[in-house]
Amino acid sequence: GAVVSQHPSWVICKSGTSVKIECRSLDFQATTMFWYRQFPKQSLMLMATSNEGSKATYEQGVEKDKFLINHASLTLSTLTVTSAHPEDSSFYICSARSQLAGGSHEQFFGPGTRLTVL
Amino acid sequence: GQNIDQPTEMTATEGAIVQINCTYQTSGFNGLFWYQQHAGEAPTFLSYNVLDGLEEKGRFSSFLSRSKGYSYLLLKELQMKDSASYLCAVRSNTGFQKLVFGTGTRLLVSP
């Protein structure tokens, strides 16, 4: 089956530093990847959609200069949280859609990255 | 815009049946998904409906009424391991066909 990995699985950083999270589709090519954020006891909130080779599309209220997304290849998308602050502490989850999109559930989720900003 | 609502919490007893409702108002519709999520983990796919009616898969069934903007997830023969959050998500029919998630329902199954 389709597998999506994320790295790191958890990270702790100091306020003001930048953190990069990688999302990889391991056994399929993903033209589109989605980045979600989830605060405790809340649902997933879509942050942005990234397409290979083009600029990401951000949801309303998400700062594109703070959350930098790069989708450099069909198997890798990265999210960089710049100048992180404690309020950015959250669970970040990516999902990837197969290039051969079709069928009922072609969007596959990564295991998530827990970011804690001190 | 999109508005997807679910009850916040539900409780049920092992062996029982529980129905989790989801109502939605979206500008475009290309399918409704149900996911299960355990704390600290990524969501896992449960079911998908794009046409009206009931889809059954083992102990889980999902129903959709597009005209009413309504879906439910039915869990039968509840087990303790079913304690989790259940997320309803609607896929858009435009652009990137993104998935937008509902508020999520935390289900607690007790002995």
Side-chain angles (χ1 to χ4, degrees), chain B residues 39-105:
Chain B
E41 299 180 11
T44 55
F45 171 81
L46 290 178
S47 70
Y48 166 77
N49 296 71
V50 67
L51 300 176
D52 289 352
L54 187 68
E55 293 284 339
E56 297 186 79
K57 187 188 289 186
R59 294 191 298 117
F60 296 80
S61 303
S62 57
F63 171 83
L64 174 67
S65 169
R66 289 172 296 170
S67 62
K68 296 182 179 178
Y70 168 69
S71 173
Y72 67 72
L73 179 69
L74 193 70
L75 292 79
K76 304 175 186 175
E77 301 169 17
L78 281 173
Q79 303 174 9
M80 299 294 289
K81 67 177 182 179
D82 297 328
S83 292
S85 287
Y86 291 85
L87 309 176
C88 167
V90 173
R91 184 165 66 185
S92 165
N93 64 353
T94 59
F96 301 117
Q97 297 191 32
K98 60 189 180 185
L99 269 184
V100 178
F101 283 82
T103 49
T105 300

Side-chain angles (χ1 to χ4, degrees), chain A residues 37-40 85-92 115-118:
Chain A
R37 180 169 53 181
Q38 186 175 35
F39 292 107
H85 291 284
E87 57 266 30
D88 297 323
S89 298
S90 187
F91 193 47
Y92 291 85
L115 170 64
T116 302
V117 185
L118 301 177

Side-chain angles (χ1 to χ4, degrees), chain A residues 33-97:
Chain A
M33 288 184 171
F34 303 88
W35 286 96
Y36 294 85
R37 180 169 53 181
Q38 186 175 35
F39 292 107
K41 296 189 177 182
Q42 295 186 21
S43 191
L44 278 72
M45 296 298 296
L46 181 64
M47 299 175 66
T49 303
S50 74
N51 279 285
E52 185 265 338
S54 63
K55 291 183 179 180
T57 301
Y58 291 82
E59 295 299 303
Q60 193 171 11
V62 178
E63 301 175 57
K64 62 180 181 181
D65 294 330
K66 180 170 181 61
F67 298 99
L68 302 178
I69 292 173
N70 186 303
H71 194 152
S73 76
L74 285 172
T75 59
L76 173 65
S77 176
T78 60
L79 168 68
T80 301
V81 183
T82 62
S83 187
H85 291 284
E87 57 266 30
D88 297 323
S89 298
S90 187
F91 193 47
Y92 291 85
I93 304 174
C94 74
S95 71
R97 186 155 68 209

